[in-house]
Amino acid sequence: MSEAILQTSEQLENDKYLVFRVGTSYYGISLSEIVEVTEKLDTVPTPNTPDHVIGVVNLRGEVITVVDTRHLLGQEKSESHLNFVIVVNTDKGKVAALVDQMIDVRQINKEIIEESTSSIQSEANSHLLGIAKAEDRLIYILRFKDFIQEALSRLNGER
Amino acid sequence: MEFEVDEELLDIFVTEASDSLEQWEAISLNLKKNYSADDLNKLFKIAHSLKGTSKSMGFTQLGDFIHKVEDLIAWVIRQDREITASESQFLLTTHGIMKKWLTGLQLNGNTPDVSEVLWTIGEYLKGEIENLDQLNTSNNMQASEAHAATETSQRTGIEFLKVRSDRLDSLIQIIGELSIHQSIITHSLNNNDVQSNNFKLAVHQAAKMTKEIQNESLALRMTEVRGLFQRLERTANDVAESLQKFIEVTITGADQELDRSVVEAIQDPLVHIVRNLVDHGIENEEIRVAEGKSARGQIQFVAIADAGGILLKLCDDGKGLDSEKILEKARQKGLIKDGTELSENEIHKLIFLPEFSTSEQVTEISGRGIGMQVVKDTIAQIGGTINIVSKKGEGSEFHINLPASLNMIDAVVMELQGNKYSIPLQELVEIVDLNNSKLEDTEESHPLLNWRGSLVPLHYLSNELILNQDYAVQREEGSLPQAAMIIKSNDNLLGFGVDRIVGHQRIIVKSINGEHENNDTLKGATILGDGKPSLILSLSDLSDRLKSNHRMEAV
């Protein structure tokens, strides 16, 4: 009995997603993956790093790397549109991802997430859990931490 | 493991036992040099208490083993005689075995099998065997391995730090004072009294205390080089023992202090150097006597405070480096071209090139894995440098310059395309005001700077750093760098032009989260007074990269 209750509450937690916009597309990531969300911070560019790494920021005394999700998701590059930061914990510590706009936090039932079938979103495809249909739009559900982590590991190779 | 033990209890046991073992090692080393009944008694006491705690933790086998060692010591004390060489070496061997045991307990519960040791001691006490040399040789190598293994295990488990109590007290006192000033500040703010002298004084004092807290808390991480030297002495002893060489180790400046992380990082490289000193440096007794040297090889470990850091010297009075042999080898391997003239010092530096080993046969002692190149790289990684001074027939000296602390460095903050970057002061030879200097154009992409009579190539730093252009403030067209930072890299001078020098500052080095470890130009970051991060750049690394790029272009 108690086991069943536990399971449900865990499921509920898992079903909460932060929805944000990058370029023309909407993405959802599980709340459990997120450390915090803030407005854009002052960024200092890093030398000799690939294009998707913008630089570093001071997050309350910690210096963390900032990546450009527009670039990673194959969207048109535009600094002025990136206004929010999502901080995730990776194996290499915290990393900040710049995104365009926060939409909301919503519950998305696992059942309505459809597994992706096509080759859309090639960059992120391997980390795409599925696509959820909301009222008027599609939300790409990402395994964000894995996605960011892989982008970072490419940081060493490309230089 | 004999039975399940609470993990926290185990950690405490291992930490305490490790401390006892460290004392054990120091005393045994001492005992080997000069016999004193006092030292032997101290060892007896350590053994006794170790036995007690091991048994109370339920490690009966370990307890039994220590008990046997205790018996041996008691037996020597009872006879009222000096300890024999083989016995004192055995006390060091014991240290190795116990250390291995502790590591085993902490890692996986695999403990060494000591039945043979126990049996041999038993026979020895009965007078059936003449000495303990057999045990020493069979367990000697294990001991050094145990050393290496403990280092790794300490990095993974919970680490306990020993801190000098007076430092902790003074830290607590400063924090107490700080909170008084803080309450004055809050009070003045609440009463809208920010113009009062009290308020200004309190702000000023609070700033001063914060700085003091910073210094004091960093000092908590400092540790004497004594422990490091002890380990090196042990290595020298073990190597000499296994090669049947006779050495004497002298230690100077053991009370100099280094950051724990620096000590941790350089431990393995230094052990490698010491192995080399004893193995390749020190000659056999007959040769030494024939050459008029003392019969025992003299090994020296010295620590000296030097320019904001520590200079370590590891010296021997042995053969010294054989320049001709090194040259010959370098030619064979195609490392240098025929006809190149090299100074004595330059030749010695060749041994830091990859895969360079002058020993004709690779011995078991020094031929293991890491070469001098790895030693050099590891030391460079933490911002240190290594140099050799050697004279054939008179010995070699390794000079290692180290920063005292990794966390705080003196740096010059400068501006580049609207962003502030920091350069470690250690790297700079001089900063030159370009408004008052002469530049000479060349056919190459960069001009030459006339600096104190010599011509120094001047690169504009932003051109060499590939910054993410979208996010950098664009420099106004035609504006020129205002200042140049002169560095010396591999005996060549090089200048880097920057937009503006902001100032000289002591900064706290922070690591950057995210994978930047392969980017050697980035040495970390700091946070400046305005709250913005500032990257710490290594210009010497950059210049190495420039050089290899130019070489590529030339090909």
Side-chain angles (χ1 to χ4, degrees):
Chain A
M1 180 65 189
S2 62
E3 214 171 87
I5 293 170
L6 256 176
Q7 215 171 10
T8 344
S9 67
E10 198 175 277
Q11 221 158 32
L12 278 179
E13 186 63 39
N14 279 343
D15 286 350
K16 273 194 178 163
Y17 289 85
L18 171 75
V19 179
F20 57 90
R21 183 176 61 82
V22 177
T24 50
S25 308
Y26 293 85
Y27 300 88
I29 56 181
S30 164
L31 279 193
S32 60
E33 292 199 293
I34 302 170
V35 177
E36 66 177 282
V37 175
T38 69
E39 284 185 31
K40 190 158 100 176
L41 303 157
D42 274 342
T43 312
V44 174
T46 41
N48 306 329
T49 34
D51 288 348
H52 61 261
V53 173
I54 294 175
V56 294
V57 290
N58 167 15
L59 184 78
R60 285 187 308 280
E62 261 183 282
V63 180
I64 66 178
T65 303
V66 185
V67 295
D68 180 350
T69 50
R70 272 186 169 247
H71 190 275
L72 288 175
L73 293 165
Q75 305 263 6
E76 194 192 335
K77 237 180 149 176
S78 161
E79 184 207 359
S80 56
H81 282 100
L82 295 165
N83 288 319
F84 289 91
V85 170
I86 301 175
V87 182
V88 285
N89 235 333
T90 71
D91 294 349
K92 297 281 171 181
K94 287 179 193 155
V95 172
L98 272 180
V99 302
D100 285 15
Q101 192 188 2
M102 294 297 155
I103 306 298
D104 55 11
V105 173
R106 67 174 73 182
Q107 210 143 311
I108 301 174
N109 287 327
K110 283 245 159 69
E111 293 80 62
I112 69 160
I113 300 178
E114 280 176 22
E115 278 189 32
S116 66
T117 44
S118 67
S119 58
I120 31 163
Q121 302 291 322
S122 61
E123 276 274 335
N125 208 19
S126 53
H127 302 294
L128 191 62
L129 271 176
I131 300 168
K133 270 176 266 180
E135 311 79 54
D136 51 347
R137 55 177 79 116
L138 293 176
I139 300 169
Y140 298 101
I141 309 291
L142 290 175
R143 267 192 300 260
F144 204 54
K145 183 193 139 191
D146 296 346
F147 171 60
I148 296 294
Q149 204 153 289
E150 199 208 281
L152 277 178
S153 62
R154 269 183 280 140
L155 209 153
N156 289 319
E158 274 181 29
R159 224 164 33 90
Chain B
M1 205 180 292
E2 286 142 43
F3 70 91
E4 283 306 312
V5 188
D6 180 63
E7 224 162 87
E8 203 177 324
L9 259 184
L10 181 68
D11 272 335
I12 294 172
F13 168 72
V14 170
T15 312
E16 282 182 2
S18 301
D19 279 349
S20 304
L21 284 188
E22 213 169 289
Q23 282 179 37
W24 181 283
E25 188 178 35
I27 297 171
S28 315
L29 281 170
N30 221 355
L31 209 54
K32 223 184 147 191
K33 273 191 265 183
N34 310 300
Y35 172 77
S36 99
D38 213 27
D39 279 345
L40 206 54
N41 275 319
K42 275 188 208 156
L43 284 185
F44 182 77
K45 276 184 199 136
I46 296 175
H48 190 76
S49 78
L50 263 181
K51 181 188 71 179
T53 41
S54 311
K55 290 205 167 172
S56 69
M57 286 289 291
F59 304 130
T60 354
Q61 274 191 44
L62 177 62
D64 287 346
F65 169 67
I66 301 173
H67 192 137
K68 208 76 186 174
V69 178
E70 195 187 335
D71 281 349
L72 177 73
I73 300 173
W75 181 69
V76 176
I77 293 177
R78 260 205 315 279
Q79 290 177 350
D80 201 18
R81 61 165 170 88
E82 287 201 7
I83 197 164
T84 66
S86 124
E87 280 162 357
S88 66
Q89 181 63 34
F90 175 70
L91 292 178
L92 280 172
T93 311
T94 313
H95 167 264
I97 297 174
M98 291 195 281
K99 192 126 199 187
K100 203 174 172 195
W101 208 309
L102 293 184
T103 318
L105 283 179
Q106 216 176 10
L107 285 183
N108 42 23
N110 284 340
T111 50
D113 176 24
V114 288
S115 48
E116 187 210 330
V117 184
L118 288 180
W119 182 82
T120 321
I121 301 176
E123 294 295 293
Y124 181 65
L125 290 180
K126 276 187 250 160
E128 303 282 329
I129 320 174
E130 222 147 83
N131 58 41
L132 297 163
D133 287 350
Q134 171 59 32
L135 278 185
N136 290 335
T137 28
S138 64
N139 286 294
N140 197 351
M141 277 302 129
Q142 285 180 3
S144 356
E145 278 163 28
H147 250 312
T150 356
E151 297 315 319
T152 1
S153 76
Q154 271 166 3
R155 267 173 230 136
T156 50
I158 306 170
E159 205 187 343
F160 289 88
L161 283 192
K162 254 194 181 171
V163 167
R164 271 171 51 174
S165 59
D166 59 330
R167 283 190 172 155
L168 200 58
D169 290 345
S170 93
L171 187 60
I172 292 168
Q173 200 209 330
I174 304 169
I175 293 173
E177 265 179 73
L178 179 65
S179 64
I180 295 172
H181 294 299
Q182 189 258 329
S183 60
I184 297 175
I185 293 171
T186 323
H187 182 80
S188 306
L189 281 176
N190 287 343
N191 293 326
N192 243 337
D193 196 15
V194 291
Q195 290 306 321
S196 77
N197 274 338
N198 261 352
F199 175 77
K200 283 177 190 158
L201 193 69
V203 170
H204 179 74
Q205 288 289 331
K208 204 178 125 202
M209 314 247 118
T210 313
K211 196 155 257 173
E212 268 180 56
I213 291 174
Q214 203 171 47
N215 287 338
E216 289 286 328
S217 49
L218 279 175
L220 292 180
R221 288 195 56 86
M222 302 296 270
T223 179
E224 289 190 348
V225 294
R226 193 179 304 279
L228 175 69
F229 277 177
Q230 184 182 317
R231 163 136 196 233
L232 295 179
E233 184 179 359
R234 177 69 195 275
T235 306
N237 244 305
D238 286 356
V239 174
E241 182 77 18
S242 65
L243 292 171
Q244 306 281 305
K245 287 179 179 179
F246 298 97
I247 57 159
E248 212 166 80
V249 179
T250 333
I251 286 176
T252 327
D255 55 351
Q256 295 291 345
E257 292 189 324
L258 279 173
D259 190 285
R260 276 167 217 277
S261 42
V262 175
V263 171
E264 213 166 84
I266 58 169
Q267 199 146 275
D268 290 341
L270 296 196
V271 163
H272 184 75
I273 294 176
V274 169
R275 280 194 178 133
N276 268 298
L277 290 183
V278 180
D279 188 12
H280 302 321
I282 299 294
E283 314 89 334
N284 291 328
E285 201 174 351
E286 305 91 69
I287 304 176
R288 290 186 62 89
V289 174
E291 284 185 0
K293 292 180 182 174
S294 60
R296 281 171 182 270
Q298 300 296 316
I299 302 275
Q300 272 191 63
F301 304 142
V302 185
I304 311 165
D306 170 68
I310 297 285
L311 169 66
L312 296 184
K313 290 187 188 175
L314 310 179
C315 324
D316 69 46
D317 70 338
K319 290 185 258 205
L321 290 176
D322 188 337
S323 303
E324 278 154 37
K325 225 164 164 183
I326 296 176
L327 262 184
E328 193 190 305
K329 183 120 176 196
R331 288 221 173 84
Q332 264 174 26
K333 296 208 165 186
L335 296 169
I336 45 169
K337 288 193 196 91
D338 286 335
T340 15
E341 290 284 329
L342 291 175
S343 73
E344 193 82 344
N345 203 347
E346 280 169 324
I347 296 171
H348 293 159
K349 274 189 184 161
L350 290 174
I351 67 164
F352 290 117
L353 292 174
E355 288 170 48
F356 202 97
S357 165
T358 51
S359 179
E360 247 126 55
Q361 72 260 73
V362 173
T363 60
E364 193 198 347
I365 309 297
S366 331
R368 267 195 266 179
I370 68 168
M372 289 309 284
Q373 183 222 359
V374 179
V375 169
K376 188 185 164 204
D377 288 354
T378 318
I379 291 171
Q381 260 168 27
I382 55 164
T385 54
I386 180 165
N387 261 309
I388 317 175
V389 184
S390 177
K391 208 157 181 201
K392 199 178 170 185
E394 290 179 19
S396 315
E397 293 188 6
F398 284 83
H399 293 187
I400 300 128
N401 275 300
L402 294 166
S405 159
L406 283 185
N407 297 310
M408 211 177 217
I409 57 167
D410 282 312
V412 172
V413 181
M414 52 82 179
E415 204 173 275
L416 214 55
Q417 303 192 343
N419 287 300
K420 293 188 183 110
Y421 295 88
S422 306
I423 313 286
L425 194 61
Q426 239 182 346
E427 291 207 333
L428 300 178
V429 177
E430 193 170 313
I431 298 172
V432 180
D433 183 357
L434 287 181
N435 295 320
N436 297 320
S437 333
K438 259 196 180 161
L439 291 184
E440 288 175 30
D441 283 323
T442 57
E443 286 176 5
E444 283 180 74
S445 55
H446 54 82
L448 291 172
L449 169 69
N450 195 333
W451 180 70
R452 293 176 185 245
S454 50
L455 291 173
V456 179
L458 181 70
H459 299 265
Y460 182 42
L461 193 50
S462 322
N463 294 344
E464 310 304 339
L465 297 173
I466 307 157
L467 294 172
N468 205 323
Q469 293 297 336
D470 300 355
Y471 299 94
V473 179
Q474 285 304 318
R475 193 158 45 104
E476 274 173 52
E477 204 55 44
S479 78
L480 282 168
Q482 297 292 303
M485 301 181 136
I486 313 263
I487 67 156
K488 195 172 191 176
S489 143
N490 296 326
D491 295 333
N492 294 320
L493 289 168
L494 204 64
F496 286 103
V498 301
D499 292 353
R500 191 168 71 89
I501 299 288
V502 178
H504 164 214
Q505 231 173 303
R506 179 163 276 200
I507 57 172
I508 295 178
V509 183
K510 288 174 177 289
S511 58
I512 305 173
N513 279 335
E515 277 190 49
H516 286 285
E517 57 236 17
N518 281 8
N519 195 340
D520 291 335
T521 313
L522 268 186
K523 289 292 179 215
T526 191
I527 292 168
L528 296 176
D530 59 3
K532 276 181 93 176
S534 163
L535 295 167
I536 302 168
L537 304 177
S538 162
L539 292 183
S540 51
D541 175 76
L542 190 69
S543 74
D544 287 350
R545 204 173 314 171
L546 281 181
K547 229 171 278 166
S548 60
N549 282 351
H550 284 304
R551 222 172 287 147
M552 300 241 281
E553 280 163 26
V555 169

